[in-house]
Amino acid sequence: MIAWLILGALSGWIASRIMKRDEQMGAIANIVVGIIGAFIGGFLGTRLLGVDVTGLNITSILLSVLGAVILLAILGGIRK
């Protein structure tokens, strides 16, 4: 549970910086986006690359950031 929060916070924050939404998002939003991004990244990673989000490691962080960026892009498209 703690690892999910740390992974979510880190990947959500990185994704919000990449998508230039860091000023709009707080810590809780970063964690939520990061955790949902981990699910999205894990789903895509297992389907396309054969890798999964397994804990606090580089692969999991990269997949989580990718999923969080995808989530933020979808949310940005819906808001416009």
Side-chain angles (χ1 to χ4, degrees):
M1 183 84 144
I2 299 292
W4 277 100
L5 292 175
I6 293 170
L7 180 64
L10 180 62
S11 60
W13 177 73
I14 292 170
S16 69
R17 300 285 296 186
I18 291 170
M19 298 299 288
K20 308 220 184 325
R21 291 185 147 194
D22 194 39
E23 299 83 27
Q24 302 167 356
M25 296 175 60
I28 301 298
N30 281 336
I31 292 170
V32 171
V33 166
I35 291 173
I36 295 171
F39 283 110
I40 294 170
F43 176 79
L44 293 175
T46 55
R47 299 298 185 276
L48 301 175
L49 305 172
V51 294
D52 196 11
V53 175
T54 57
L56 283 176
N57 55 47
I58 296 298
T59 304
S60 296
I61 292 171
L62 291 175
L63 285 174
S64 297
V65 169
L66 174 67
V69 166
I70 291 169
L71 176 63
L72 289 174
I74 290 170
L75 291 176
I78 291 172
R79 289 187 181 155
K80 287 185 178 185

